[in-house]
Amino acid sequence: MDSLFSLSFVVDGSPSTVNVRDRDLLVFVLRDQLRRTSVHIGCESGRCGACTVMLNGTPTKSCMVLARQVEGMTISTLEETAQAPTGEIVAAAFKRAHALQCGFCTPGMVTAVVGLLNRDTDVSEDDVRQALRGNLCRCTGYQHIVDAVLDAAATLREART
């Protein structure tokens, strides 16, 4: 039987301490122990992106990270990311472009997009498609999602000039 050990990190701006086993994945800790329901469990193999969170500011698939690896790190889930200025602009663009269908992939998509647009708002359609290549939409709504990202990028560029 695996032994438990204490792990501390910051989630959505609040310090958190949890008990985890050696093989516990971050996605399960975030959902089951910390009740971050925007972190969806999809493929559990890093292919769908439904579990994407910001780990020290970088979009990361939390199903590919052992919880032990995040000691002392900062994690932002959609619960926090959507409240930040870039997140609000991205969420509004998704709504305008009808980029939401069933919504299962949306938290991971929005988190990945915020990561992209925090790095660069001068993005092309190809840049957007590359940034989202690890996030799957089973409703096949990619064009609306790409349109929303380009709309959000334009809004952010205008706001910064």
Side-chain angles (χ1 to χ4, degrees), residues 4-143:
L4 292 174
F5 65 93
S6 181
L7 176 69
S8 296
F9 48 88
V10 174
V11 177
D12 297 335
S14 299
S16 296
T17 300
V18 295
N19 291 318
V20 300
R21 293 181 175 84
D22 282 342
R23 296 183 185 188
D24 286 347
L25 295 173
L26 179 59
V27 65
F28 292 109
V29 172
L30 292 171
R31 277 195 65 91
D32 299 341
Q33 292 191 42
L34 299 173
R35 305 289 181 222
R36 296 310 196 268
T37 57
S38 70
V39 183
H40 292 171
I41 299 168
C43 65
E44 296 181 50
S45 62
R47 294 184 182 157
C48 76
C51 65
T52 302
V53 298
M54 293 286 204
L55 188 57
N56 285 349
T58 301
T60 303
K61 295 173 182 171
S62 61
C63 75
M64 300 301 294
V65 177
L66 292 172
R68 290 188 72 155
Q69 295 175 289
V70 302
E71 173 70 35
M73 293 186 168
T74 300
I75 300 166
S76 298
T77 68
L78 187 67
E79 281 88 344
E80 179 183 40
T81 304
Q83 305 301 318
T86 302
E88 288 180 348
I89 289 169
V90 170
F94 268 61
K95 186 176 179 183
R96 280 192 304 275
H98 304 286
L100 309 164
Q101 292 191 27
C102 79
F104 188 81
C105 70
T106 303
M109 290 276 186
V110 169
T111 301
V113 168
V114 168
L116 169 68
L117 298 179
N118 280 343
R119 290 189 313 272
D120 186 9
T121 58
D122 189 21
V123 293
S124 68
E125 183 172 332
D126 286 343
D127 296 332
V128 173
R129 290 185 184 279
Q130 276 290 61
L132 294 178
R133 72 181 185 279
N135 293 78
L136 299 180
C137 172
R138 291 181 172 87
C139 301
T140 67
Y142 292 104
Q143 188 58 52

Side-chain angles (χ1 to χ4, degrees), residues 138-152:
R138 291 181 172 87
C139 301
T140 67
Y142 292 104
Q143 188 58 52
H144 292 288
I145 293 168
V146 171
D147 292 345
V149 177
L150 293 173
D151 178 20

